[in-house]
Amino acid sequence: MDRLLIRGGRQLSGEVKVSGAKNAALPILATALMVPGKVRFENLPHLNDVTTMLQLLGRMGVEVLLDDTGSVELDASHMNSIVAPYDLVRTMRASIVVLGPLLARAHEAEVSLPGGCAIGARPVNLHVKALERLGVEFEVTDGYIKGRAPGGLVGGKVLFEKITVTGTENVLMAAALAKGETIIENAAREPEVSDLADCLVALGAKIEGIGSDTLCIQGVEQLHGGTHRIIPDRIEAGTFLVAAAATGGSCTLTDCEPKHMDATLLKLEEAGAHIDRTDTTISLDMQGRRPKAVDITTVEYPGFATDMQAQFVALNAVAEGSGRVTETIFENRMMHIPEMQRMGAKIDLHGATASTTGVDRLKGAPVMSTDLRASASLVIAGLVADGETVVDRVYHIDRGYERIEEKLRRLGADIERVRV
Ligand code: UD1
């Protein structure tokens, strides 16, 4: 199991190229299942979750051809399975995004529930309820959620009682090949959802309202082959900016999409960062100053992203003053706090709010990654800590960050991967 060894205390500066967005890539790869022909996707990030999705598609008979420019060609002409098995789903909850495409193409799907969880405990209840509106019948047996629409999918009206990103994506994909019109209300507006919609349009789908909370889809009989370029990863981009800001340093990101990052950039400015942006680059400069603590509440897009929450707790931990960070999207998403406390951070956790009083310096310590974004925050904490920090269970980070240690080294960080 790999670890990251970080010797903290260096101010970051330099340039980093942002990779393609993981959360856009996963559903976009799944659209291949809907097309009886070749599709090509560019700007694919090199990540473990992407590899898992490609393996999953491969198991269903999709031909996968990766090239070394970060593009992939997929051909589901000979798709031969509608099953997403436990051994792959358990490593990636986002595997659920094959549900909509399988139902759309084959009118049936069997997707394992991760970790043996029932619907409700680790919920996909909103996905199920919405797809039922399109004529799908579901049952849960043997740890699998099994959906069938013997007469094919029929468009309908879907109103999500709670905003769900992958739930919106599943319905969008299913509706693209359903008979008639589907309207999705209270749809997620995340850029990754819009990127999926743009990709579906490139493959022949008819979708209006892209980027809004009401999506209107006119089902078509078949999608056709095509090409789509995946948007840049706003969470990866934000993580590097926060890392640079926490160290009082500077950083320029290239190949990014600043217009997707307003909430993060506003908070960084509040923290004292000087920010310049063009259409595809962001430059951040703290001019050597310590950041100021910020207050944050996570909400759905275009609000502040839950996937950036942990990184800002790390920034607040070494900032001037006190800050409050409240998580409203997920329960139990504060697992980085006890690890940061072990590094000397002064954080009080009441319910879903982390109140931080910044300290001058954190102290390096062995810490444990618990999930993807929590691990990123521990790397940031390690970068601003005195001495050595060893971040264990790096596989969490490799799910969502492409060669994070190489990119950070390019910014001057003292960080290396240790294989044990
Ligand atoms: C996606 C992102 C994830 C991000 C999250 C919120 C992908 C692959 N992952 O996850 O990185 O943190 O959006 O922006 O895109 N819920 C239910 N029932 C459901 C579905 C969701 O109760 O059927 C709840 C969840 O428990 C959570 C909230 O709704 O509290 C939002 O979750 P959702 O938007 O669905 O997250 P994901 O799509 O899984």
Side-chain angles (χ1 to χ4, degrees):
M1 224 185 309
D2 291 2
R3 291 176 180 159
L4 289 175
L5 170 63
I6 305 162
R7 291 176 204 90
R10 292 195 183 178
Q11 235 171 40
L12 301 189
S13 81
E15 192 173 292
V16 170
K17 181 177 178 301
V18 176
S19 299
K22 169 179 90 73
N23 287 353
L26 298 176
I28 284 172
L29 289 171
T31 64
L33 291 167
M34 301 167 66
V35 184
K38 278 189 188 152
V39 291
R40 184 182 159 81
F41 302 130
E42 297 168 356
N43 203 28
L44 193 67
H46 191 65
L47 300 171
N48 285 357
D49 272 7
V50 166
T51 309
T52 305
M53 181 55 79
L54 293 174
Q55 280 173 342
L56 188 55
L57 298 178
R59 294 263 192 106
M60 294 170 179
V62 179
E63 281 169 33
V64 177
L65 195 67
L66 269 167
D67 72 22
D68 51 14
T69 66
S71 296
V72 65
E73 209 170 83
L74 301 165
D75 188 344
S77 302
H78 305 292
M79 185 182 130
N80 55 21
S81 165
I82 48 107
V83 181
Y86 177 70
D87 64 315
L88 290 174
V89 174
R90 83 186 164 87
T91 65
M92 188 178 68
R93 181 175 147 67
S95 310
I96 193 71
V97 294
V98 300
L99 183 63
L102 287 173
L103 289 167
R105 170 93 182 270
H107 305 161
E108 56 178 335
E110 297 184 9
V111 180
S112 170
L113 288 166
C117 293
I119 294 178
R122 193 152 176 201
V124 288
N125 57 317
L126 300 174
H127 300 232
V128 165
K129 223 167 147 182
L131 289 165
E132 280 173 347
R133 303 279 301 165
L134 270 57
V136 185
E137 292 160 15
F138 283 102
E139 57 173 356
V140 178
T141 43
D142 313 323
Y144 277 76
I145 172 162
K146 299 181 181 175
R148 243 166 224 56
L153 298 174
V154 184
K157 190 159 172 153
V158 171
L159 195 162
F160 279 109
E161 59 200 65
K162 183 173 187 181
I163 297 176
T164 157
V165 173
T166 47
T168 302
E169 291 169 347
N170 259 331
V171 179
L172 188 58
M173 292 186 278
L177 289 177
K179 253 185 231 116
E181 180 179 87
T182 300
I183 295 184
I184 310 177
E185 287 187 37
N186 204 24
R189 288 187 285 163
E190 269 65 7
E192 294 76 17
V193 177
S194 301
D195 199 33
L196 169 65
D198 288 338
C199 168
L200 288 167
V201 169
L203 304 179
K206 293 196 173 136
I207 305 171
E208 279 173 23
I210 297 175
S212 78
D213 63 359
T214 304
L215 295 168
C216 181
I217 306 114
Q218 303 293 338
V220 295
E221 286 213 346
Q222 232 188 28
L223 296 184
H224 52 66
T227 298
H228 178 77
R229 187 172 175 81
I230 294 162
I231 54 168
D233 197 312
R234 63 194 168 106
I235 308 299
E236 188 206 23
T239 302
F240 284 110
L241 292 178
V242 174
T247 67
S250 61
C251 144
T252 295
L253 302 180
T254 65
D255 300 77
C256 62
E257 191 76 73
K259 68 172 189 277
H260 294 160
M261 298 179 59
D262 286 342
T264 295
L265 296 179
L266 267 173
K267 285 296 161 188
L268 284 166
E269 279 175 339
E270 245 179 82
H274 182 81
I275 291 183
D276 281 320
R277 43 163 131 179
T278 68
D279 283 349
T280 57
T281 65
I282 300 174
S283 296
L284 169 145
D285 194 351
M286 292 297 288
Q287 289 153 344
R289 288 189 309 265
R290 185 179 172 192
K292 292 193 277 268
V294 289
D295 293 334
I296 281 169
T297 301
T298 62
V299 274
E300 293 88 359
Y301 189 82
F304 188 92
T306 172
D307 286 351
M308 284 303 303
Q309 176 259 104
Q311 299 87 319
F312 270 88
V313 174
L315 178 124
N316 275 354
V318 291
E320 213 177 281
S322 312
R324 282 162 65 87
V325 174
T326 302
E327 172 62 48
T328 73
I329 304 292
F330 286 108
E331 290 168 20
N332 201 18
R333 213 182 198 188
M334 288 287 183
M335 265 120 67
H336 41 290
I337 308 287
E339 299 302 292
M340 287 183 196
Q341 285 166 333
R342 295 179 50 245
M343 297 175 73
K346 287 198 181 139
I347 310 176
D348 281 328
L349 186 60
H350 334 266
T353 298
S355 302
T356 307
T357 306
V359 294
D360 279 345
R361 317 236 15 116
L362 295 175
K363 294 188 289 288
V367 289
M368 188 84 85
S369 298
T370 48
D371 65 57
L372 171 55
R373 305 305 167 186
S375 355
S377 74
L378 295 176
V379 169
I380 295 173
L383 292 171
V384 290
D386 287 332
E388 263 184 28
T389 295
V390 177
V391 182
D392 210 344
R393 300 199 181 166
V394 169
Y395 57 82
H396 286 294
I397 240 183
D398 293 334
R399 286 189 36 223
Y401 291 88
E402 186 172 316
R403 294 174 284 108
I404 193 167
E405 72 278 16
E406 283 178 34
K407 290 193 180 187
L408 283 170
R409 266 204 302 273
R410 225 167 287 150
L411 294 176
D414 186 345
I415 177 169
E416 61 185 299
R417 184 178 289 258
V418 187
R419 295 189 192 274
V420 278

